[in-house]
Amino acid sequence: MMSVVGAQPFIKPMQPTPSVSPGGQRRHTLPASEVRPLNTQDAISVFEIEREAFISVSGECPLHLDEVRHFLTLCPELSMGWIEEGRLVAFIIGSLWDQDRLTADALTLHKPRGSTVHIHILAVHRTFRQQGKGNILLWRYLQYLRCLPNVRRAVLMCEDDLIPFYRKSGFKVLGRCAITVANMTFTEMWYPISGHAYMRRNSEAIRFPQHLLTQHPLTLPLEKTDEQADV
């Protein structure tokens, strides 16, 4: 979908020490923690987390199951999932947009020639909230976007009570969003994407498939070093 000429970001899973059974044979163990792009096989897990997180609060899901599958088919490289012991615990889904501000079409369309990443949703499984995972995953995602040479900014729409969370991650308010859902209104926020992703030797990371991204490896730290949010 998107040509990449400058860098191939990858994050490979943390590798635990192999377990050894009393008989001396190694047992298969899942990575303790990994971050990877999502695919259509993750769609149901994504939707279950999303439905629990949003329906109880607003009565609306940002993306329905068919829309989750739609974006994970068209632009899986603009998604990111946090996996712990084989279980999805947090995720982000994005797509490309080609206008200065979001319109209703941005909710369902992916514009391959766009230079703006529209972040549709960030959600954390209820069991893993209040641990800073949302903040860490968002920071990781924004660092990853720096590796995509055609991307110039990220945008999102959120309810007013979430503005402090996104401001803490560096987003700035653009103004009231033109999109309304039922009786809900939103604020549109943006984040500039420039420079190169933070590089650090010996950090643990995940590999993004080579058919999606093709150039040099880039390593991103697994965790944000300072502040952690409550999401």
Side-chain angles (χ1 to χ4, degrees), residues 48-213:
E48 287 176 350
I49 294 173
E50 178 193 11
R51 182 172 55 187
E52 186 279 328
F54 288 91
I55 288 293
S56 60
V57 176
S58 64
E60 296 284 342
C61 280
L63 297 175
H64 297 295
L65 180 57
D66 59 339
E67 294 168 332
V68 171
R69 290 195 175 108
H70 171 71
F71 287 117
L72 294 184
T73 298
L74 290 179
C75 47
E77 71 279 17
L78 294 176
S79 69
M80 185 174 281
W82 187 327
I83 316 296
E84 289 197 353
E85 297 183 347
R87 181 183 185 185
L88 181 66
V89 302
F91 69 88
I92 292 173
I93 292 179
S95 65
L96 283 178
W97 184 239
D98 61 357
Q99 297 180 32
D100 292 337
R101 299 293 296 268
L102 295 174
T103 69
D105 286 343
L107 299 180
T108 56
L109 297 182
H110 167 61
K111 298 286 191 174
R113 297 183 182 275
S115 60
T116 294
V117 171
H118 173 204
I119 299 176
H120 292 269
I121 181 171
L122 160 63
V124 179
H125 191 284
R126 64 181 180 275
T127 306
F128 298 89
R129 290 175 197 152
Q130 306 298 319
Q131 299 176 22
K133 282 183 165 55
N135 180 275
I136 292 170
L137 186 64
L138 180 58
W139 176 84
R140 185 74 168 271
Y141 184 77
L142 295 172
Q143 296 303 308
Y144 162 64
L145 293 183
R146 293 174 185 267
C147 304
L148 308 180
N150 296 327
V151 172
R152 295 293 174 263
R153 64 181 189 140
V155 299
L156 56 83
M157 50 185 258
C158 68
E159 294 180 81
D160 289 351
D161 59 346
L162 287 173
I163 290 175
F165 169 77
Y166 288 111
R167 273 188 168 147
K168 192 174 182 179
S169 295
F171 280 81
K172 300 176 182 179
V173 172
L174 267 175
R176 299 307 296 176
C177 186
I179 301 169
T180 59
V181 178
N183 61 344
M184 294 185 295
T185 60
F186 305 93
T187 294
E188 192 168 336
M189 304 188 74
W190 75 287
Y191 181 94
I193 304 295
S194 61
H196 299 286
Y198 179 68
M199 300 183 70
R200 177 176 164 186
R201 188 176 297 176
N202 299 325
S203 60
E204 299 292 346
I206 51 184
R207 179 174 295 279
F208 279 70
Q210 291 187 358
H211 71 282
L212 297 179
L213 299 166

